[in-house]
Amino acid sequence: MTSESDVLELGPGQGRAYSLGRMRAVFKADHDESGSRYAVSEWWLQPHCAGPGAHLHEANEELFYVLEGTASILVGDTWRMLSKGSFLRIPAGTMHDFENRTDAPVGLLNIFMPSIVKWFEDNPQD
């Protein structure tokens, strides 16, 4: 049975933030909070900002929801333009990337199953 102490509530901007140049990640929940079952993060990209680079996760599915702006998201060999309110599921083993090709900021909500922590350990960011 869960208790009120198991509830996680974070306000806007709260979480573990990582500045990655012109891109910023805010992790709302990952290994500690989810028991390594999933990771939930926000990704904010300044105008004309490249993302993490094309990559894939052999055993991890990712979900993206566009919070703000229009995101360019690579799925396989195809770049898709997704506007605010759009949703995208990327199956495990699929090459993908995201970036902002516009003049306005882009915000993405990302859900990664299971947790993304191992990927970041294996792929340190500058």
Side-chain angles (χ1 to χ4, degrees):
M1 181 168 165
T2 60
S3 70
E4 194 166 318
S5 65
D6 294 326
V7 173
L8 174 61
E9 179 179 345
L10 299 172
Q14 291 183 315
R16 283 183 307 286
Y18 301 93
S19 180
L20 307 165
R22 300 188 52 192
M23 181 170 54
R24 184 170 188 260
V26 181
F27 281 82
K28 301 294 190 175
D30 58 17
H31 66 289
D32 289 339
E33 299 86 4
S34 73
S36 296
R37 295 183 315 268
Y38 58 86
V40 177
S41 56
E42 293 177 1
W43 293 82
W44 295 94
L45 291 85
Q46 294 299 313
H48 304 284
C49 176
H55 61 282
L56 60 84
H57 310 283
E58 290 294 339
N60 305 93
E61 186 171 297
E62 283 195 76
L63 309 176
F64 287 95
Y65 181 82
V66 182
L67 298 169
E68 190 66 43
T70 300
S72 297
I73 302 181
L74 176 68
V75 181
D77 295 327
T78 305
W79 282 96
R80 300 164 187 245
M81 301 296 288
L82 283 85
S83 60
K84 181 178 179 178
S86 297
F87 171 83
L88 179 66
R89 179 181 67 90
I90 299 176
T94 303
M95 187 66 65
H96 63 282
D97 191 7
F98 56 86
E99 60 186 43
N100 182 358
R101 297 178 177 177
T102 73
D103 294 330
V106 164
L108 296 167
L109 177 69
N110 176 251
I111 301 171
F112 188 94
M113 300 163 297
S115 177
I116 195 168
V117 173
K118 177 72 171 125
W119 187 85
F120 270 105
E121 290 173 353
D122 293 344
N123 297 278
Q125 303 295 305
D126 293 333

